[in-house]
Amino acid sequence: MGKPRAGAAVRLEPRSAEDSVGWDDGIVPDETPDVYGAFPRLTERQLRVLEHEGTRRTTAVGDVLFHQGDRDGDFYVVLAGTVATTEEGDVGEQVIGVHGPRRFLGELGLLNGEASFLSAVVRQPGVVLVVPVDRLRALVGRDSDLGDVILRAYLVRRSILIELGTGFRIVGSRFSRGTWRLREFATRNRLPHRFVDLEEDRSAELLLRQLCVRPEETPVVIWHTRVLRNPSNTELARVVGLSGATGSVSMVDLLVVGAGPAGLAASVYGASEGLCTVTLDATSAGGQASLSPCIENYLGFPTGISGSELAERAVVQATKFGALLSVPAAVTSLEEVDGAFSVAVAEGDSVAARAVLITTGARYRRPEVPRLREFEATSVYYAATQVEAQVCRGDPVAVLGGGNSAGQAALFLARHAESVRLLVRHGDLGRDMSRYLVDQLERHPGVEIHLHTELRGLEGEGGVLRAVVVEDDRTHQRRTCDARALFIFIGAAPHTGWLAGDLALDDDGFVLTGSLLNSPAQRAAVGVGAPPLAHRPPLLLETSQPGVFAAGDVRSGSVKRVAAASGEGAMAVRMLHQYLELSRSICASGSTSSLM
């Protein structure tokens, strides 16, 4: 996606007779064309709806409607005149776009409570309609016609900002673990930013001297007027307004721990059904799915959708219904207190909830290979996104794994790398991989498939990978293959260490739910004592602790697919309603024996 072209005069053509009422079908000078559907014109009906919630304001040339870095601003519709969106760059103010009558300003951060990545400056005098953001959020939730127009435009605008490299800058060495951490955090959360590599950009060193930043203080984040020296993910999130204010609610109905597909689905359904819903995640929305460059078998997206965009849409949808998402917020413990639950967060906060849904998913497994840690900071990756693709552009790479994640990564990387070798331990590519991926991989000229292949070693110097050593498990013959990067997709282990024995887990650490809890022998085997649900059978997705549910990849026996996780997240809300209804009936009768 290229930069929207500014400077062209565009003749406006109303879509219907209704659209043409009240505006001049003429030429708007210098207006940025709406090439990608990011800058639609509101209809007369949509304007009337917004007029009820806002006020008109006369504007003069040079008026600043909002500044880059502002949070909780207003929603603006241009009624007359033009407004330019700008960014403060290295050489002063840069114009990103110009917008005329019936277009609205802002982007996704306005709805999510994030800081604005752009400023808005009046270029030609006129009139704007100003709608408070809280009223806009309410409108988006109840008026589907208006809400869909705004949400679609804001999603596209976020993609454009990411493509243009607007937003904050990350300055550091690509070989630095801290630099990689910040870039990964920004990418996974779809935060517009630009990376300035100290290893390649000659102006970077001069910039650091001007900012009085020593080399050992890198990486740095430059955002508006602030310079953050090697900030934590939490510090960066707070600056751009990513973190939600969990302390603003004393007691929630549903606390979702983990914002993968299951957690996001539960957030959408819980909030849309009137439950006070808060969702916490240690890293970003989307879980492992957010790292998939293209999910082609998800219902409703015949041409595929990236995992990050799917997650972003789900976050907007959940926010639209009133759910609160807080990132990063790493949960450290779960405690039952007087019939409710207290969940502690690493930053020292805690959230009280009537019911809890655990959707923490799983973390990537690491192969037992010599020198792996030596190359992890520079050449070994557990995801294949645009960040990794830029690093390995034009180089040979190897992908280890035989599941869908490995297949998707291999196809994506083949568009950027010189060559891709897919290393699969067993001899049947279709055993763990969807048929459509197998067919594409076998036809792709840039992908070499190596079956019955084990990874045995890594070669390189100075932390830079040069080759991988592989072995055929039938002949035990070893050979060395050129590879400047290694991508590992060999499964995952559940994120359940924080539960500290509070819930029944299976032998592999996944959470037991529903009928899997019926066997006393099985519970004894995992170290859980007398079943707390002795007086009633557990609900379908309920854990050994009444009122605590589990869904998605973290649950024992779950199907490790995005669609299945989303379905379980939605189903968990139904189970939670049953639990809350049971809780109310027990409280009314003055007994707790049936509940516990």
Side-chain angles (χ1 to χ4, degrees), residues 327-382:
V327 174
V331 172
T332 58
S333 66
L334 168 68
E335 183 181 5
E336 192 273 331
V337 180
D338 297 330
F341 301 95
S342 177
V343 172
V345 183
E347 295 298 314
D349 298 328
S350 63
V351 183
R354 294 182 176 86
V356 176
L357 174 63
I358 298 172
T359 56
T360 45
R363 61 180 175 274
Y364 297 108
R365 296 186 189 276
R366 301 170 67 255
E368 296 296 328
V369 181
R371 302 183 69 186
L372 179 66
R373 290 193 179 277
E374 177 183 344
F375 296 105
E376 276 188 323
T378 59
S379 311
V380 176
Y381 310 105
Y382 297 87

Side-chain angles (χ1 to χ4, degrees), residues 19-90:
D19 287 354
S20 65
V21 176
W23 62 290
D24 180 22
D25 181 18
I27 293 179
V28 178
D30 299 326
E31 188 173 44
T32 302
D34 185 18
V35 178
Y36 307 112
F39 312 117
R41 299 193 190 281
L42 296 172
T43 66
E44 187 70 22
R45 188 202 74 80
Q46 291 165 347
L47 276 178
R48 287 196 299 268
V49 171
L50 288 166
E51 287 268 20
H52 284 296
E53 304 294 338
T55 57
R56 291 186 176 224
R57 180 190 301 174
T58 302
T59 61
V61 174
D63 284 353
V64 179
L65 303 182
F66 53 83
H67 291 88
Q68 183 180 2
D70 285 353
R71 293 180 59 179
D72 300 322
D74 294 319
F75 176 75
Y76 291 90
V77 180
V78 182
L79 300 179
T82 59
V83 177
T85 52
T86 66
E87 180 191 28
E88 288 294 331
D90 295 334

Side-chain angles (χ1 to χ4, degrees), residues 492-506:
H495 278 294
T496 53
W498 62 279
L499 293 171
D502 294 328
L503 301 181
L505 310 176
D506 68 14

Side-chain angles (χ1 to χ4, degrees), residues 184-185 188-189 242 258-260 281-287 290-291 325 327-328:
E184 181 184 41
F185 181 78
R188 291 189 63 167
N189 286 284
L242 185 63
D281 196 280
T283 306
S284 64
S290 68
L291 302 176
L325 174 67
V327 174

Side-chain angles (χ1 to χ4, degrees), residues 42 83 112 216 224 501-502 515 542:
L42 296 172
V83 177
N112 293 342
E216 61 269 22
H224 193 38
D502 294 328
S515 61
E542 195 169 20

Side-chain angles (χ1 to χ4, degrees), residues 379-421:
S379 311
V380 176
Y381 310 105
Y382 297 87
T385 68
Q386 286 291 345
V387 173
E388 291 83 8
Q390 293 172 9
V391 173
C392 67
R393 187 180 300 276
D395 291 330
V397 304
V399 178
L400 179 66
N404 278 3
S405 296
Q408 291 166 348
L411 288 171
F412 172 70
L413 294 169
R415 304 205 304 261
H416 305 274
E418 175 190 273
S419 61
V420 177
R421 289 184 172 88

Side-chain angles (χ1 to χ4, degrees), residues 55-362:
T55 57
R56 291 186 176 224
R57 180 190 301 174
T58 302
T59 61
V61 174
D63 284 353
V64 179
L65 303 182
F66 53 83
H67 291 88
Q68 183 180 2
D70 285 353
R71 293 180 59 179
D72 300 322
D74 294 319
F75 176 75
Y76 291 90
V77 180
V78 182
L79 300 179
T82 59
V83 177
T85 52
T86 66
E87 180 191 28
E88 288 294 331
D90 295 334
V91 293
E93 187 179 77
Q94 300 177 9
V95 175
I96 303 300
V98 178
H99 309 291
R102 307 176 78 86
R103 284 188 179 180
F104 52 89
L105 306 176
E107 61 102 33
L108 196 60
L110 184 65
L111 295 177
N112 293 342
E114 296 172 9
S116 174
F117 289 99
L118 299 174
S119 299
V121 184
V122 175
R123 172 169 282 196
Q124 294 179 320
V127 180
V128 294
L129 177 64
V130 187
V131 180
V133 68
D134 57 339
R135 297 184 184 180
L136 173 70
R137 289 171 182 150
L139 272 178
V140 168
R142 69 173 183 262
D143 189 316
S144 60
D145 175 54
L146 179 61
D148 287 349
V149 169
I150 294 173
L151 290 177
R152 279 199 300 268
Y154 277 4
L155 285 166
V156 177
R157 291 182 193 183
R158 175 55 63 94
S159 295
I160 291 175
L161 291 183
I162 292 173
E163 183 73 18
L164 293 177
T166 58
F168 56 87
R169 284 175 291 172
I170 300 174
V171 184
S173 167
R174 66 177 181 271
F175 299 122
S176 162
R177 188 178 293 274
T179 300
W180 191 261
R181 169 181 55 79
L182 291 170
R183 293 184 67 195
E184 181 184 41
F185 181 78
T187 300
R188 291 189 63 167
N189 286 284
R190 286 181 63 79
L191 298 174
H193 69 284
R194 179 161 60 92
F195 172 51
V196 182
D197 191 353
L198 285 170
E199 307 297 332
E200 293 186 355
D201 195 323
R202 295 182 178 179
S203 65
E205 189 174 346
L206 175 61
L207 176 62
L208 293 181
R209 283 202 299 267
Q210 292 173 340
L211 296 173
C212 299
V213 175
R214 299 188 303 274
E216 61 269 22
E217 294 178 305
T218 59
V220 297
V221 171
I222 304 171
W223 168 230
H224 193 38
T225 59
R226 303 184 62 174
V227 178
L228 308 177
R229 290 165 167 80
N230 195 17
S232 67
N233 290 352
T234 300
E235 290 173 314
L236 176 57
R238 285 175 177 167
V239 168
V240 300
L242 185 63
S243 297
T246 56
S248 61
V249 183
S250 58
M251 173 71 76
V252 303
D253 296 317
L254 170 60
L255 178 64
V256 182
V257 184
L264 290 174
S267 302
V268 169
Y269 281 89
S272 67
E273 294 178 14
L275 297 175
C276 179
T277 303
V278 169
T279 303
L280 310 176
D281 196 280
T283 306
S284 64
Q288 278 188 242
S290 68
L291 302 176
S292 295
C294 186
I295 303 172
E296 295 190 63
N297 59 351
Y298 192 75
L299 183 65
F301 294 91
T303 59
I305 183 172
S306 71
S308 59
E309 184 179 354
L310 183 65
E312 188 173 59
R313 288 172 177 265
V315 169
V316 173
Q317 193 175 14
T319 303
K320 163 184 166 181
F321 289 120
L324 175 65
L325 174 67
S326 185
V327 174
V331 172
T332 58
S333 66
L334 168 68
E335 183 181 5
E336 192 273 331
V337 180
D338 297 330
F341 301 95
S342 177
V343 172
V345 183
E347 295 298 314
D349 298 328
S350 63
V351 183
R354 294 182 176 86
V356 176
L357 174 63
I358 298 172
T359 56
T360 45

